[in-house]
Amino acid sequence: MLGLGSDLLWADMNRLLRLLFHEGVLDEQFLQLQQLQDETSPNFVSQVINMYFHESEKLLNNLRSLLIQAHDDDFADYNKMAIHLNQFIGSSSSIGAKRLTSLCLAFRAATHHTNRPGCLRALEMLEHEYCYLKNKLHELFHIEQQRALVAAARYPLHDNNQ
Amino acid sequence: MAPNENSATELTALVVDDDRQLRMIHQRMLNKVGVKNQAVENGKEAVQIHCSGQGFDLILMDKEMPLMNGIEATKELRSMGICSTIVGVSSHTKEKQIQEFMEAGLDDYLVKPLNLAKLRSILDKIM
């Protein structure tokens, strides 16, 4: 029964991954990350992804602050925005966050044109996509954790002489 | 043939990147292919580590970093006589930006994200 539970969870994991690939949320770079995980570094993927979440939230806050400041001062530091976006592109692409990377590239293009309305629209889309990605990856890790728990469970031993 | 994890090599590499996540991934990739490696956070530290007498077969150099960027660091290392293979790794794709980085003294340039196939193709050229 526990084996069946583990198989069902494995199927759930694969189904979610297939969906994320099909939607273009993730690309093969995510599989690269999984290939780097092994018994010597069993939590590598979750460590990298948690690091990514932590840094991404800071980047998004910085981008929002820079754009809000622009509204008040009628001046936006587009160069600084572009620097944050370069970092965001690098980190997002390295975990296979394909759709988010594309949105960052569009946002970066808007900064090069000093297009404030375009930047605002891009930021909203980026924040929305980030939330979606974070929720889906948390769901994936939750299933993985459940599967690990089921796999580690042991049947109680029965004494046939009793 | 590029090394794999089962055959540790004598090659050494230095990862130069201000992003902690990318340092972690790139170092893990190098470990996976059996290349001993270290990491620093910016170009200034890359220069300092060479000034201390250490040398590396391969340097993976990010472009935008605080204190000293990849272009400045590459120029400095070349002026010091460092002949290591220096590969620029960045998210920039515009020809002008890549050319500027290459002219600083790079041997090659890779667009992020780095993956094992790209890394192995670089190591093939060194070995």
Side-chain angles (χ1 to χ4, degrees):
Chain A
M1 280 301 290
L2 286 175
L4 182 60
S6 178
D7 287 346
L8 286 172
L9 287 165
W10 179 253
D12 282 344
M13 252 178 67
N14 284 333
R15 202 169 15 248
L16 179 54
L17 266 175
R18 269 200 306 274
L19 173 70
L20 293 173
F21 272 82
H22 179 70
E23 287 180 340
V25 174
L26 294 178
D27 64 21
E28 63 277 358
Q29 188 68 19
F30 187 78
L31 300 177
Q32 277 282 305
L33 270 192
Q34 291 182 318
Q35 279 183 37
L36 295 176
Q37 181 165 294
D38 59 24
E39 57 281 354
T40 64
S41 196
N43 301 313
F44 180 74
V45 177
S46 60
Q47 280 173 347
V48 168
I49 298 293
N50 284 330
M51 207 180 286
Y52 171 73
F53 288 151
H54 181 72
E55 291 305 312
S56 296
E57 269 149 43
K58 281 198 274 183
L59 286 170
L60 284 168
N61 286 338
N62 289 343
L63 286 164
R64 185 156 275 282
S65 296
L66 284 165
L67 273 172
I68 287 170
Q69 185 184 40
H71 177 71
D72 293 336
D73 299 342
D74 211 22
F75 169 76
D77 195 338
Y78 290 105
N79 286 337
K80 219 170 197 173
M81 275 188 241
I83 289 169
H84 288 318
L85 286 164
N86 285 339
Q87 189 177 346
F88 212 168
I89 290 165
S91 58
S92 300
S93 64
S94 73
I95 65 153
K98 183 182 176 186
R99 216 158 64 180
L100 200 144
T101 303
S102 298
L103 289 171
C104 285
L105 287 166
F107 193 162
R108 189 171 70 177
T111 65
H112 291 157
H113 291 106
T114 63
N115 175 0
R116 189 170 178 275
C119 286
L120 274 168
R121 267 194 307 275
L123 177 61
E124 278 164 17
M125 288 173 71
L126 193 58
E127 285 170 336
H128 182 262
E129 176 62 22
Y130 173 75
C131 278
Y132 184 76
L133 175 71
K134 189 172 178 182
N135 286 337
K136 288 300 171 191
L137 288 179
H138 274 149
E139 194 181 328
L140 190 69
F141 290 143
H142 178 71
I143 300 172
E144 204 168 22
Q145 277 171 355
Q146 291 294 108
R147 201 174 142 260
L149 283 170
V150 168
R154 294 286 181 263
Y155 289 104
L157 291 173
H158 291 285
D159 186 348
N160 290 326
N161 293 328
Q162 280 187 341
Chain B
M1 193 161 75
N4 59 43
E5 200 166 12
N6 295 327
S7 59
T9 71
E10 290 182 6
L11 287 178
T12 56
L14 178 68
V15 174
V16 188
D17 202 310
D18 61 325
D19 189 305
R20 194 164 65 114
Q21 174 197 318
L22 287 168
R23 286 199 303 273
M24 190 171 169
I25 293 173
H26 294 171
Q27 284 196 274
R28 183 78 192 131
M29 282 183 184
L30 287 162
N31 289 341
K32 202 76 175 166
V33 296
V35 175
K36 285 192 190 134
N37 61 87
Q38 290 183 55
V40 292
E41 295 181 19
N42 55 61
K44 189 174 176 187
E45 288 183 14
V47 169
Q48 281 171 345
I49 203 170
H50 282 86
C51 288
S52 74
Q54 289 193 69
F56 304 89
D57 299 296
L58 170 67
I59 300 171
L60 295 175
M61 183 76 78
D62 185 24
K63 186 169 178 277
E64 284 180 9
M65 295 177 285
L67 295 180
M68 186 186 281
N69 64 36
I71 292 175
E72 292 163 346
T74 303
K75 283 181 182 172
E76 183 65 23
L77 289 170
R78 291 305 190 207
S79 74
M80 287 163 60
I82 302 298
C83 300
S84 312
T85 298
I86 305 179
V87 176
V89 185
S90 177
S91 59
H92 289 287
T93 53
K94 285 189 177 171
E95 200 177 320
K96 192 180 166 188
Q97 289 167 327
I98 296 171
Q99 193 180 351
E100 190 191 2
F101 204 179
M102 288 295 295
E103 283 171 0
L106 295 181
D107 293 289
D108 211 333
Y109 179 89
L110 295 172
V111 179
K112 285 176 182 172
L114 191 63
N115 56 41
L116 287 167
K118 287 181 189 176
L119 183 58
R120 286 193 178 109
S121 75
I122 293 292
L123 293 171
D124 269 342
K125 292 177 191 174
I126 299 174
M127 292 181 75

